[in-house]
Structures are given as C-alpha cells and as structure tokens.
Amino acid sequence: MHDIALIGAGRIGKIHAANAAANPRLRLARVVDPFADAAASLAASYGAQVSSLEDALTDPAIKGVIVASSTDTHLEYSLRAAEAGKAVFCEKPLDQDLAKASAASAKFDALGARIFLAFNRRFDTNFAALQARLAGGEVGSLETLHIISHDPSPPPVDYVKVSGGIFKDMVIHDFDMARWLLGEEVTEVFASSSVLIDPAIGEAGDADTAKTILRTASGRLCVISSSRRSGYGYDQRIEAFGSKGMIRAQNQLETTVETWGEAGSTGDRLQNFFLDRYAVAYAREADHFADIIDGKAEPLIGYRDGVAALALAEAAARSAERHEVVRL
C-alpha cells in the first residue's frame, strides 16, 4: 500500500480522497490545504493527518501526490512534487497560461517526472469502449466526430470569474477527448460562443454556450457542443462516424426502468451531474495512479496532453473572440 498526499480539500479533492481511501493499494496519509478547517475535516474522515506542503513533499513515505488545489497552483505544486521524486496526479488544467505551461515542459522532462493529468472522461467505461472499437476499425476509418457536453445548470458567477472561461474550464475535457478519439492532432479551430443563459456570465466576461469545430491535417472533423444549461440533465454523448458506420455512446440514466402505456413510453432521468455520471471514471483514475506508482503503467494522459488540450482551449477562445479560424 502506497502513502499519498492530497493537496486541496475542496469539492474535487474530496472526490479524490474518497477514491484513494477506497483503493486497496493507496492510503491517504496527508492532507494539505490553506483552509485549516477544510483540511482537518477531510483528514479526520480518512485517518490522515493535516500537513504542510513542505512536510508532505519531504516525507519519504509519501510516494504520490494528488494536486487538486486551485488552478493557479497546479503547475507550481506539480513541479515541486516531481522535484521531490513523487508520482503526480494533477487536476486539469495544468495552468490557465499556455505559454507558462509550455515553458515548464522541459523541466518535467529533465526530471523524468511521472505526471498524470486528470482528464477523467478517458476512464469512463462507455467512452473507453467507444475508443477501443473505433481504434479497432469496427466502423472503418473515422471521418467525423460529434461530442455533446451540456451541464444541467450554470455554475455560480463567482466561480465563472476565476474559472478561466468556458473553453479552459469546461470544454477542455472535450478537447482532450477529441484528440484521443481523432487519432490525429488538430490543425484548425473555429469556435463561436454566446451568452444565452445568464447575462451575469456575460458581464463576468465569459460565455455560457459554444460550438467548436476542429479539423485535422487529413480533414477529419469534430464538432463540440457546449452549454452551461441543458434543461433536462447532464448531457454527455459522443457519436463517431466512420467509413463503414457509426459508434455512439449514450447518456447514463438514473435507472433503466421504463413505463409503457397508451400515451407511449417514458424512461428515468439523466444522472444529475459529473459526481454521479463519472463516479466510476474517478475510481478508475485512482487505480491507474496506483499502477503508475507501482511502475506497472505509464500515465495514460501525460504532461504534453495537458499542454495540447490547453492549446486548443486558447485557440478556441481566440477564434470565438475574433470570429475567425485559428491555425495551429
């Protein structure tokens, strides 16, 4: 069993703490957070100790560090953990500044860092099965891709103000998914965004609705539909169209129960939000991190993947602002 330290005791930190505690190969030993009450509460829940960052990084018993703190600290804390020889599991995005993240790449390379980026959707069993079938040629050569990611309701405006914007905060997950499924790097980005849901989001300098088109060198196309409000639940679907057919991953429902009657049939609601929809994916991330610490696997999503997704996010934001195609 490997001792790990968690940096960040907020909402996402609590998810990772629970999954680490549930994994038989990991033990949450230290919790680091500037808010003492949050750190103490989370640590007490899992028999861990509240710790300073320095003590966590200098403890030889700590083999891995989960970075789930505020976005502006992700890069710094990941680098410090790597310099201490720890395996690193970092929440997305690496940073809100592409130039800064790109510049740090050489430092991680020089350290031979084992850094795993938390794009959890690659670990969803449905999306993973879709990718495996696509890569196996089940529908021939991929031609186009359609990714739908609509939240049930918008986040608080106070969160929007520090989120980095819809493309870096929300759509970045879909940019990583698109790169994974397309099998080729994106060369052109065109995005358009609007404020259709909450005027306060626009006043904060962000958008709540966006459509993005990605194009690869061979001409493969991906359309990403993004919305901060669906009106019907957490909408997470992917359709991949190939030369011989189509592969589709549908939404997860609360149950598979349906009612049939004279008026027709009705099914259950969509799972409410990411905490439910991706619960299994988060658990599989923790297991992958244990494999990395064990030396059984290389990170499925590495530092360069994080930089590439951030580059697409910045390109999309620039495209939406200028109403033009951005070439990479």
Side-chain angles (χ1 to χ4, degrees), residues 49-106:
Q49 69 179 96
V50 176
S51 173
S52 69
L53 178 60
E54 183 178 357
D55 286 347
L57 296 183
T58 55
D59 183 352
I62 298 295
K63 301 303 180 183
V65 174
I66 299 176
V67 180
S69 47
S70 59
T71 299
D72 60 339
T73 64
H74 286 181
L75 190 57
E76 175 193 350
Y77 291 165
S78 293
L79 183 57
R80 289 181 63 179
E83 289 172 338
K86 315 298 186 185
V88 183
F89 176 179
C90 180
E91 262 302 322
K92 65 81 191 169
L94 279 169
D95 197 82
Q96 290 184 354
D97 187 323
L98 174 61
K100 184 179 175 183
S102 297
S105 180

Side-chain angles (χ1 to χ4, degrees), residues 41-254:
S41 176
L42 188 59
S45 297
Y46 299 105
Q49 69 179 96
V50 176
S51 173
S52 69
L53 178 60
E54 183 178 357
D55 286 347
L57 296 183
T58 55
D59 183 352
I62 298 295
K63 301 303 180 183
V65 174
I66 299 176
V67 180
S69 47
S70 59
T71 299
D72 60 339
T73 64
H74 286 181
L75 190 57
E76 175 193 350
Y77 291 165
S78 293
L79 183 57
R80 289 181 63 179
E83 289 172 338
K86 315 298 186 185
V88 183
F89 176 179
C90 180
E91 262 302 322
K92 65 81 191 169
L94 279 169
D95 197 82
Q96 290 184 354
D97 187 323
L98 174 61
K100 184 179 175 183
S102 297
S105 180
K107 295 180 181 179
F108 284 91
D109 286 343
L111 291 167
R114 296 167 296 160
I115 179 167
F116 164 44
L117 266 294
F119 285 110
N120 63 296
R121 295 181 190 181
R122 292 205 201 188
F123 291 86
D124 175 75
T125 53
N126 300 292
F127 295 162
L130 185 150
Q131 191 274 341
R133 293 187 184 191
L134 193 60
E138 193 166 304
V139 292
S141 176
L142 176 66
E143 295 172 348
T144 63
L145 193 62
H146 189 196
I147 300 175
I148 298 170
S149 182
H150 295 180
D151 287 351
S153 59
V157 173
D158 285 345
Y159 172 81
V160 170
K161 291 177 180 178
V162 298
S163 70
I166 190 171
F167 294 107
K168 288 182 181 178
D169 173 58
M170 179 183 180
V171 193
I172 197 166
H173 277 290
D174 305 301
F175 291 140
D176 178 72
M177 183 62 62
R179 291 185 62 247
W180 188 44
L181 297 177
L182 286 168
E184 300 175 355
E185 291 299 335
V186 174
T187 57
E188 294 182 3
V189 179
F190 179 75
S192 186
S193 62
S194 294
V195 180
L196 302 174
I197 299 166
D198 185 353
I201 291 177
E203 292 167 5
D206 198 9
D208 53 35
T209 308
K211 302 288 185 182
T212 308
I213 300 175
L214 308 178
R215 181 185 178 93
T216 70
S218 73
R220 288 178 176 173
L221 298 173
C222 173
V223 177
I224 300 173
S225 179
S226 313
S227 175
R228 289 291 195 184
R229 181 197 63 201
S230 67
Y232 52 86
Y234 192 38
D235 192 356
Q236 300 284 288
R237 289 173 286 147
I238 295 178
E239 295 176 330
F241 299 88
S243 57
K244 296 181 180 178
M246 183 263 285
I247 304 175
R248 177 173 61 188
Q250 293 282 59
N251 280 311
Q252 295 277 87
L253 304 180
E254 292 286 354

Side-chain angles (χ1 to χ4, degrees), residues 263-281:
S265 62
T266 60
D268 211 337
R269 298 172 298 176
L270 303 186
Q271 288 185 329
N272 184 53
F273 204 19
F274 73 94
L275 298 177
D276 301 317
R277 173 64 180 79
Y278 291 115
V280 172

Side-chain angles (χ1 to χ4, degrees), residues 98 102 172 175 189 305-318 326 328:
L98 174 61
S102 297
I172 197 166
F175 291 140
V189 179
D305 294 305
V307 171
L310 187 58
L312 291 177
E314 287 207 356
R318 190 161 65 250
V326 173
L328 302 175

